[in-house]
Amino acid sequence: DGGITQSPKYLFRKEGQNVTLSCEQNLNHDAMYWYRQDPGQGLRLIYYSQIVNDFQKGDIAEGYSVSREKKESFPLTVTSAQKNPTAFYLCASGSSGVTEAFFGQGTRLTVV
Amino acid sequence: GQNIDQPTEMTATEGAIVQINCTYQTSGFNGLFWYQQHAGEAPTFLSYNVLDGLEEKGRFSSFLSRSKGYSYLLLKELQMKDSASYLCACMDSNYQLIWGAGTKLIIKP
């Protein structure tokens, strides 16, 4: 079945450690996105990529990094520079232009 | 600046009708999306409006007025499973989605 897969669903890390969240899609979508969701706030864009080997910062890119080496994959690394990393992270993909975004199941990251 | 406003929380009764409003200000406009999100899960697409008027899809309908920067999502014959957050999002001139904070809908028996 076509879809977008995030793993893991829950992740715990110690403060100061980098952590990488996985996102894979087999929908043949060109565009992929990473969002952060905090209680009472809308989805905030971290990074997005419209094509392989290219990506742009979103509104809250500081403390995060991404890569887009394959069309299907868009991993997000939460670095130790991110001051408040505990959040619900959502990956999404979509075709170019005006189309709906398809979301993965999300990863809830807790840093202790 | 870009801004999407929607109520934080609404309560309705099973079997009734509820209207969730969304007002927006964006740099350019390429349409408005509504998504449903159950707690701890991913948002799922409900509707897309780019022209003024009402789009009906089963128990759910979505309305858009571009001149007023206003949309609403209408849910009829409410069921307990409709308890969720409803997210309004606008696509701006760069084809980026700008998201509202979501409206938590509580359905009571």
Side-chain angles (χ1 to χ4, degrees):
Chain A
D1 277 10
I4 178 165
T5 304
Q6 285 184 246
S7 60
K9 189 166 185 177
Y10 299 96
L11 191 54
F12 294 87
R13 276 296 181 268
K14 290 186 178 178
E15 199 172 325
Q17 288 182 334
N18 290 357
V19 61
T20 298
L21 282 57
S22 168
C23 179
E24 305 276 331
Q25 55 98 0
N26 60 5
L27 300 167
N28 200 34
H29 286 160
D30 290 314
M32 296 187 76
Y33 309 85
W34 273 106
Y35 291 97
R36 171 180 171 140
Q37 188 174 36
D38 294 286
Q41 297 193 40
L43 300 183
R44 292 186 289 168
L45 184 64
I46 305 172
Y47 269 97
Y48 66 100
S49 168
Q50 309 248 359
I51 196 170
V52 174
N53 291 323
D54 189 43
F55 47 83
Q56 283 77 41
K57 293 182 179 180
D59 300 320
I60 55 165
E62 185 175 346
Y64 299 97
S65 66
V66 293
S67 63
R68 186 86 186 276
E69 296 175 3
K70 298 186 299 181
K71 188 175 186 177
E72 301 78 19
S73 179
F74 192 41
L76 173 75
T77 297
V78 184
T79 75
S80 56
Q82 167 51 231
K83 300 298 179 199
N84 240 349
T86 294
F88 187 50
Y89 291 88
L90 285 161
C91 179
S93 70
S95 300
S96 301
V98 183
T99 62
E100 77 243 40
F102 292 81
F103 286 85
Q105 66 174 0
T107 295
R108 187 165 298 279
L109 172 66
T110 303
V111 175
V112 296
Chain B
Q2 306 201 99
N3 195 50
I4 311 285
D5 282 318
Q6 49 182 135
T8 303
E9 187 173 296
M10 299 182 70
T11 302
T13 304
E14 190 177 15
I17 299 173
V18 71
Q19 177 175 311
I20 302 173
N21 296 325
C22 172
T23 58
Y24 64 88
Q25 285 179 301
T26 54
S27 304
F29 182 76
N30 276 307
L32 187 141
F33 294 81
W34 283 97
Y35 281 78
Q36 181 191 60
Q37 186 180 26
H38 285 98
E41 297 183 10
T44 54
F45 170 77
L46 289 177
S47 68
Y48 171 70
N49 294 67
V50 66
L51 300 176
D52 289 351
L54 187 69
E55 295 273 348
E56 297 186 73
K57 201 185 282 187
R59 293 190 299 115
F60 292 8
S61 302
S62 55
F63 171 84
L64 176 67
S65 169
R66 288 174 298 172
S67 62
K68 295 182 180 177
Y70 167 70
S71 173
Y72 67 72
L73 181 69
L74 190 72
L75 290 74
K76 303 177 186 174
E77 302 168 18
L78 285 169
Q79 302 174 9
M80 297 303 292
K81 67 178 182 179
D82 297 330
S83 292
S85 287
Y86 291 85
L87 312 180
C88 172
C90 285
M91 185 166 277
D92 68 14
S93 55
N94 294 320
Y95 298 99
Q96 295 302 318
L97 285 171
I98 311 300
W99 295 84
T103 298
K104 183 177 180 180
L105 178 62
I106 299 168
I107 310 296
K108 295 187 174 178

